[in-house]
Amino acid sequence: MENGDVDRTLTLMWRRALGVPKGSRGPKQRFSVDEVIRAGIAVADEEGLPAFSMRKVADRLGLKLMSIYTYVPSRDELIGLMVDEVMGEPGLPPHEGGWRERLTVVARQMWDEFHRHPWLLQVEQSRPWIGPNGSDRYEWQLAAIEGAGFTDLEMDQTITLIGDFTWASARADVAAQRAAEQSGISDAEWWAVNAPVLDRLMPPGAYPISGRVGTAAGEEYNAVRDSERSFRFGLDRILDGLALMLSSRN
Amino acid sequence: MENGDVDRTLTLMWRRALGVPKGSRGPKQRFSVDEVIRAGIAVADEEGLPAFSMRKVADRLGLKLMSIYTYVPSRDELIGLMVDEVMGEPGLPPHEGGWRERLTVVARQMWDEFHRHPWLLQVEQSRPWIGPNGSDRYEWQLAAIEGAGFTDLEMDQTITLIGDFTWASARADVAAQRAAEQSGISDAEWWAVNAPVLDRLMPPGAYPISGRVGTAAGEEYNAVRDSERSFRFGLDRILDGLALMLSSRN
DNA sequence: TCCTAACTCCGTATGCCTCACGGTATTTGG
DNA sequence: CCAAATACCGTGAGGCATACGGAGTTAGGA
C-alpha cells in the first residue's frame, strides 16, 4: 500500500466533496464510480462477500473484467467504497428523548443495516478507510450521548461497546438465517439429522446443565436461537450498566 | 451437505470418544487425523485463514495435496475440526468466587484464545459443528452462573451476551494489531500519511465532537485505540447490568 | 488543423485456490 | 494366496485477482 494509493482511494471516498473531476484527455468512461459501487453492492447483497467477484461486477454493468480496474484500484478498495456508501443510506435522524432512547436508536440502526446488507459482517478491513458517511455517522453517534455525563473517553468507549455488541449479535443472527436458507434445511431438520448421531457419540449424562438450558431455550424461542430477543436482552443489560455508572457519579 | 457427510464429520469430531477406528484393509495412513488438524492449526496461526490452504497443510506434513482429502472431507470440515481442537487447549479450571468473578474468567478465556489463534475470528460457520470440546466448554460456562439467580433462559442469554461481546472486542483488537504488523506501518505512521489527505478532503469544522473525543482518546491511549481497555470497560458495564437485574429481583 | 499524450477498454497470461476422478501401489481378511 | 479395500497422488476443470501490453478514442496544445 503506497502513499499514492492512499491518496487515490481517499480521493475516491470523498469524491462528492471534491466536485468535478477535472478535464482529462482520453475517452469518457461509460459509467460512473457510483454505478460501479452500486453494482458491487447489488452483487454482494445477492451473493454474499465470498462469492463477490470483480467479474460479476463487470458482467452486471456489461463491461469486461479488466475495465473495472480503471474505475477502482482493487477489490479491497471497491469493498471499502461499498461500505462507506451503504453507511450513507439510512440518513441520520435528529436525536430525541434521553440518552438511553438515543443509544437504542443508534444500535437499532446498525442492527437493521447489518440485516439489509449482511455482507457488511464479512468485511475484513485491516485498517478502516475514513469516508464521509462513516465520519458523519460517528459524529452523529457521539452527539447522541453528548451532555449525558460521560467523559470524552467514555463517550468513545460507549459507542465502541454498543457497536461491538450489535455487530456480534447481528452476526449470530445473520449466520443462523443464512444457514437455514442456503442449505435449505430448517433448524428442526438439522437437529433431526444431527441428534441421532450425537446421541450415539455423546457420553450420556455428560451435559446436564446444557441439556436443561437448551430445552428451556428451545421451548421459549420455538427455535434453537432467537437472536432478536438475545439482542434486546443484551442491550438492556448494557444500558442498565451505563446508567449505573452515570448515577453513581452524582 | 448429505446425511452421510454429517455422520462422517461428527464421527471425526468425536473420534476420541469412539476409541479404535476398527481394522481396515488398505495401507496404513502415514499420519493421524490429529496430526493433520495440528498442522492446519499451525498454518492458520502463522498465516491467517485467508492464506490457509490445503496445499500448505499437505506441504507441512510432507504429503501431496490430494492426500489430505483421505483424512478429512473438505477444507470447511478441517476448519471445523481445528476450531473444536483449540477449544480444548486451555482446559476448564474449577469455578471459584462469585458469579461475577467467574464470568470474568469465562470472558478472559475467550479473549486469550482469540489472541492465541486470531484466525478463529475469521471462521464463518454457517451451522456450527457440535464437537466435544465446544460442548464441554458450554457446559462449563453455564456452570459458572448456575445458582446465581438466573432463569434457564437468562443463563443462555447471558453466556451469549458475554461471548458475543468478547468476540467483537477481540476482533477489533486483533484487526488493529494485524494492520500494524502486516502493513509494517504503525498507527502513528498511518495517520501521518492519511491526515494531510484528510485535511484537504474533510469539510473544516464538520466533526466537532469526533475531533474532541478523538483527541481525548488518542492522548489517553497513546494510540488510536486501546482495545484491552475498551474490553474491560464494556465487560464492567455488562456485569453491572446483570447485577442490577438480579438484585432488582429480590 | 493536426499531432500526440493520456485515457478507456479489453485479451492474454500468471499464479493462486478447491476438489472430482481415476490410476497405482499396498495391505489384510478370508 | 487372491481379491477387496484403502492410501497416495497426477491430472485437469473451473474459479479467483490482477499485471501487462495493445488498440482505439479524445482533447489540449503547437
Side-chain angles (χ1 to χ4, degrees):
Chain A
M1 180 70 53
E2 304 273 325
N3 198 316
D5 294 341
V6 171
D7 203 328
R8 161 131 194 234
T9 302
L10 285 182
T11 303
L12 237 36
M13 280 275 175
W14 295 82
R15 64 199 179 283
R16 298 255 162 71
L18 255 66
V20 197
K22 77 172 184 258
S24 73
R25 211 163 269 203
K28 294 279 171 286
Q29 291 188 308
R30 301 226 297 266
F31 301 96
S32 65
V33 180
D34 292 78
E35 284 173 297
V36 173
I37 294 170
R38 277 198 293 273
I41 292 170
V43 171
D45 282 347
E46 287 168 21
E47 315 200 31
L49 214 59
F52 170 89
S53 74
M54 298 300 262
R55 165 144 272 135
K56 283 173 186 160
V57 177
D59 284 351
R60 181 171 289 260
L61 291 171
L63 287 174
K64 290 299 161 65
L65 171 59
M66 288 315 292
S67 303
I68 297 297
Y69 288 91
T70 61
Y71 293 81
V72 141
S74 76
R75 182 181 193 271
D76 282 353
E77 263 90 344
L78 174 53
I79 292 173
L81 290 165
M82 286 159 53
V83 169
D84 197 72
E85 182 70 21
V86 298
M87 292 218 281
E89 280 174 0
L92 304 172
H95 293 301
E96 295 171 7
W99 65 265
R100 235 188 126 104
E101 203 176 325
R102 293 173 173 197
L103 273 183
T104 305
V105 172
V106 166
R108 181 58 67 174
Q109 187 194 62
M110 295 180 60
W111 174 267
D112 291 343
E113 183 165 284
F114 287 134
H115 284 79
R116 208 164 40 241
H117 302 296
W119 51 270
L120 283 171
L121 297 158
Q122 303 172 305
V123 172
E124 286 217 43
Q125 281 162 321
S126 53
R127 199 95 64 162
W129 295 107
I130 297 180
N133 292 323
S135 302
D136 288 353
R137 174 178 296 190
Y138 181 55
E139 181 77 11
W140 175 80
Q141 290 172 332
L142 289 174
I145 53 173
E146 174 84 321
F150 296 100
T151 67
D152 283 351
L153 184 60
E154 286 166 353
M155 285 176 72
D156 180 63
Q157 288 172 327
T158 297
I159 297 301
T160 299
L161 170 55
I162 298 288
D164 282 357
F165 167 70
T166 304
W167 170 286
S169 298
R171 187 181 160 283
D173 190 25
V174 165
Q177 274 179 235
R178 191 167 11 226
E181 281 166 22
Q182 84 180 184
S183 69
I185 298 172
S186 72
D187 269 7
E189 289 164 331
W190 184 80
W191 274 107
V193 173
N194 280 267
V197 186
L198 289 172
D199 272 351
R200 190 158 45 80
L201 298 174
M202 281 182 162
Y207 303 110
I209 314 180
S210 310
R212 197 191 72 220
V213 168
T215 304
E219 283 172 4
E220 185 70 28
Y221 292 154
N222 247 335
V224 178
R225 184 164 187 164
D226 181 341
S227 303
E228 165 77 25
R229 197 157 157 183
S230 296
F231 174 58
R232 285 204 310 270
F233 174 85
L235 187 58
D236 287 344
R237 286 327 119 236
I238 289 171
L239 294 176
D240 283 352
L242 291 169
L244 196 66
M245 185 182 77
L246 288 179
S247 68
S248 74
R249 183 162 294 172
N250 302 335
Chain B
M1 182 70 51
E2 303 273 325
N3 197 316
D5 294 342
V6 170
D7 204 327
R8 162 133 195 231
T9 302
L10 285 182
T11 303
L12 238 36
M13 281 274 174
W14 295 82
R15 64 198 178 283
R16 297 254 163 72
L18 255 65
V20 196
K22 76 170 183 258
S24 73
R25 209 162 272 202
K28 293 279 171 287
Q29 291 187 308
R30 300 226 297 267
F31 301 95
S32 65
V33 180
D34 292 76
E35 284 173 296
V36 173
I37 294 170
R38 276 198 294 273
I41 292 170
V43 171
D45 282 347
E46 286 168 22
E47 315 200 32
L49 213 57
F52 170 89
S53 75
M54 299 301 263
R55 165 145 271 134
K56 283 172 186 162
V57 177
D59 285 351
R60 179 172 289 261
L61 291 171
L63 287 174
K64 291 299 162 63
L65 170 60
M66 289 315 292
S67 302
I68 297 297
Y69 289 90
T70 63
Y71 292 82
V72 140
S74 78
R75 182 182 194 270
D76 282 354
E77 264 90 346
L78 174 54
I79 292 173
L81 290 165
M82 287 158 54
V83 169
D84 196 73
E85 182 71 20
V86 298
M87 293 219 278
E89 280 174 2
L92 304 173
H95 293 301
E96 294 171 7
W99 65 265
R100 236 187 125 105
E101 203 176 323
R102 294 171 172 198
L103 273 184
T104 306
V105 172
V106 165
R108 182 59 65 175
Q109 188 194 62
M110 296 181 61
W111 173 267
D112 290 343
E113 182 165 285
F114 286 133
H115 284 79
R116 207 165 41 240
H117 302 294
W119 51 269
L120 283 171
L121 296 158
Q122 302 173 306
V123 172
E124 285 218 42
Q125 280 162 323
S126 54
R127 198 97 61 164
W129 295 108
I130 298 180
N133 292 323
S135 302
D136 288 353
R137 174 180 295 190
Y138 181 55
E139 180 77 13
W140 175 80
Q141 289 172 333
L142 289 174
I145 54 173
E146 175 82 322
F150 297 100
T151 67
D152 283 351
L153 185 60
E154 286 166 353
M155 285 176 71
D156 181 64
Q157 289 173 325
T158 297
I159 297 301
T160 299
L161 170 55
I162 297 289
D164 282 358
F165 167 70
T166 304
W167 172 285
S169 298
R171 187 182 160 280
D173 189 25
V174 165
Q177 275 178 234
R178 190 165 14 222
E181 281 166 24
Q182 84 181 182
S183 70
I185 299 172
S186 72
D187 269 8
E189 289 164 329
W190 184 80
W191 275 106
V193 173
N194 279 266
V197 185
L198 289 172
D199 272 351
R200 190 159 45 79
L201 296 174
M202 282 181 160
Y207 303 110
I209 313 179
S210 310
R212 196 190 74 222
V213 168
T215 304
E219 283 173 4
E220 186 71 28
Y221 292 155
N222 246 337
V224 177
R225 185 164 184 163
D226 182 341
S227 302
E228 165 76 25
R229 196 157 158 184
S230 295
F231 174 58
R232 284 205 310 268
F233 175 86
L235 187 57
D236 287 343
R237 287 325 119 237
I238 289 172
L239 294 176
D240 283 351
L242 290 168
L244 195 67
M245 185 182 76
L246 288 178
S247 68
S248 75
R249 183 162 294 172
N250 303 336

